[in-house]
Amino acid sequence: MNGQQWLAGIIFVAAFALIVSEKMHRLKAAMAGLSGVLLLRLVTQEDAFRFIDFNTIGLLVGMMILVGIVKETGLVQRTAITAITLSKGHPWRLLVALTSLTALISALLDNVTTVLLIGPVALAVCETLDLDPEPFIFGEIFASNIGGTATLIGDPPNILIGSAAGLSFNKFLLHLGPAALLALCVMYGLLYLLFRKDLVPSHRTEELLLRFQRGGKPLDKKGTTRILAVLAGVLAAFTLHGTLGFEAATIAIAGATAGLLLCPVPVEKALQEVDWVTILFFSTLFMLVGTIEHLGIIEIAATHLVDTVGNRPELFAGLLLWCSGILSALVDNVPYTAAMIPLVRDVASLSSMNAEPLWWALALGACLGGNGTLVGASANLVLAGIAEKGGIRLSFLRFLRIGSLVTGATLLSSTLYLYLRYFILAS
């Protein structure tokens, strides 16, 4: 490596270390790294801005606006009441109903927004029925991360991978949907074994329903009908992505525009859900990772990896899945995935491997690994914060004991799925 490559590599590693250690806010760290490579003229400003993946940025902004409109209609709260009614007050059925709802919404929206919407509902249910909230908190967190694994728009790592590899909404659903469903079944089995004694049946459904009907947001029928129609159109367009020839960002932005035009929700309210800090962080990270790729550092690392692993895609896929799962439990999976994408692309190119199984391995590891520790995913910290406000403290070690068990089991089920589907049945 030459002097420029060493300098860019040191800046990138330093910025990455600050991001994952949380010694500095991740946006500050990423901007400091970007400023360093620009001021040292390791990359031109014009090139840096070309590294931004505007398809990812547009998709995030469009979906965040749609989430803001959905929240204003009261639709999610009403859906939760329906799930509670169907459970007939049985704690285990209630847990399955709420976590299934969480997994479904996380597949269609993002998991942080999902736990913000459903988390307080689950905790209020526990308070009303005098239930231990711990299994519900764990179930909500695990289901949000597993559900987000299933689709292109469910979790930020998938958005990054889909945009970089040109993988459609349909491909994610067809290839990762079964793996996510299998992981969800594994999660339910473990939760039942761990918490079955705490989920004692109760007969206070009517009181519970009255509580939510009085305290929940009233349903805006007009807005709900319109936003459901818009969401159906957006999901249909994602499904027909290849036929229509539209990028994911175009579909999301057009859907957000339709939602704003058709639904009686103030623009300011809808835009409150756009996380501009996250948008700027993604943009800065794209420029930083693009710089080290532009300077050839990723290609050097990929060459060494190919020399070590050889042309054995099943070995590389397994390593990628488990390393991604373990590392994503310890560090933020967004910068990790952004750094791994060009590496996977170069390894596949240099070794003539079929890249698709490698992308699925990276996505499964990055998303499911978030369940390993309390800091593994943003949704974990968000729901832990909501619980703490209600007087329920979720310790790091307690989460580690249960989260590592769930993560290990779901990574194992995903390994079996990958090997069976792509290396045994495909051969």
Side-chain angles (χ1 to χ4, degrees), residues 16-36:
F16 197 89
L18 287 171
I19 291 169
V20 302
S21 67
E22 298 182 335
K23 297 292 185 184
M24 181 185 292
H25 189 283
R26 62 181 184 171
L27 178 57
K28 291 181 182 180
M31 289 183 68
L34 176 62
S35 298

Side-chain angles (χ1 to χ4, degrees), residues 70-80 219 224 227-228 231:
V70 170
K71 283 184 72 173
E72 287 300 306
T73 64
L75 174 62
V76 174
Q77 291 89 335
R78 182 56 59 91
T79 307
L219 185 67
T224 297
I227 195 60
L228 282 176
L231 286 172

